[in-house]
Amino acid sequence: MAKKGVEKNTANKAKHTKLLKKKKEKLRKEKETHKAKLKAILDKAKAQRSVD
């Protein structure tokens, strides 16, 4: 038999999901920017090596 009344924890679950999604998106963006910075450094080093 199902319980009657207000559902429990639905608001908290929604907030939790939202926060986790935000956290994962932030980590993904940080990873992308880190990768881009490394690539720029490597390209710069490669250019210097070819000049020398």
Side-chain angles (χ1 to χ4, degrees):
M1 246 169 47
K3 293 183 179 180
K4 294 180 183 177
V6 180
E7 289 186 21
K8 190 176 179 183
N9 286 335
T10 53
N12 287 340
K13 285 182 184 178
K15 285 181 185 178
H16 183 71
T17 302
K18 182 179 175 184
L19 289 173
L20 283 181
K21 187 176 178 184
K22 191 175 179 182
K23 183 179 178 182
K24 285 183 181 181
E25 185 68 22
K26 181 182 176 185
L27 289 174
R28 188 182 65 78
K29 283 187 179 181
E30 285 177 355
K31 190 175 181 180
E32 282 181 4
T33 56
H34 182 70
K35 204 173 191 181
K37 285 179 184 178
L38 283 177
K39 186 172 182 173
I41 291 169
L42 288 175
D43 289 343
K44 187 177 179 182
K46 197 176 200 181
Q48 282 182 342
R49 262 191 272 136
S50 65
V51 171
D52 291 338

